[in-house]
Amino acid sequence: MTQKGGCHCGKIAFEVEGEIPDVMECNCSICAKRGYLHWFVPSGQLRLKTPAANVASYTFMTGKYQHQFCPNCGCAPFVTATDGSGVAVNVRCLEGVDTSKLKVNPFDGRSL
């Protein structure tokens, strides 16, 4: 299944392949404030449909992840691992996903 997603203003658009079995809700400072619900996929399953230049990134704490966001509207549709191993798609930025029907696994990122 192909899921379509993007930011609020449309400057970032992407597609991701796969079914969403469950999501992870991290309570670290950035994930909690941005309301991320992470769906982890291998990097090759996400395809940007807009220029990469439209995507800004923010790296903090351990430096293992780049939080990707739109510099125009501020939406944060995905997080990439700096080693290129995977992507955490914010399912709140996908079209037509009813997040109330997803199994949410809590993760204590605040204690790392």
Side-chain angles (χ1 to χ4, degrees):
M1 173 180 245
T2 301
Q3 306 280 346
K4 294 181 180 189
C7 67
H8 186 260
C9 72
K11 287 192 182 251
I12 298 174
F14 63 91
E15 292 179 346
V16 61
E17 290 295 325
E19 298 289 328
I20 306 170
D22 56 4
V23 294
M24 187 264 288
E25 184 175 33
C26 177
N27 67 356
C28 81
S29 59
I30 195 166
C31 292
K33 289 180 185 289
R34 287 210 159 168
Y36 284 117
L37 286 178
H38 299 287
W39 168 36
F40 294 93
V41 298
S43 294
Q45 286 181 225
L46 184 129
R47 291 178 306 282
L48 270 178
K49 305 303 275 181
T50 51
N54 290 3
V55 182
S57 66
Y58 174 68
T59 304
F60 78 112
M61 213 162 80
T62 64
K64 292 182 181 180
Y65 303 100
Q66 291 180 324
H67 295 259
Q68 310 295 334
F69 66 96
C70 175
N72 187 58
C73 69
C75 277
F78 54 91
V79 176
T80 57
T82 54
D83 67 4
S85 62
V87 177
V89 176
N90 183 359
V91 298
R92 294 186 192 278
C93 292
L94 295 175
E95 297 173 8
V97 174
D98 183 353
T99 58
S100 70
K101 299 209 184 301
L102 297 174
K103 179 179 185 239
V104 177
N105 301 306
F107 178 76
D108 186 12
R110 201 169 282 181
S111 297
L112 293 179

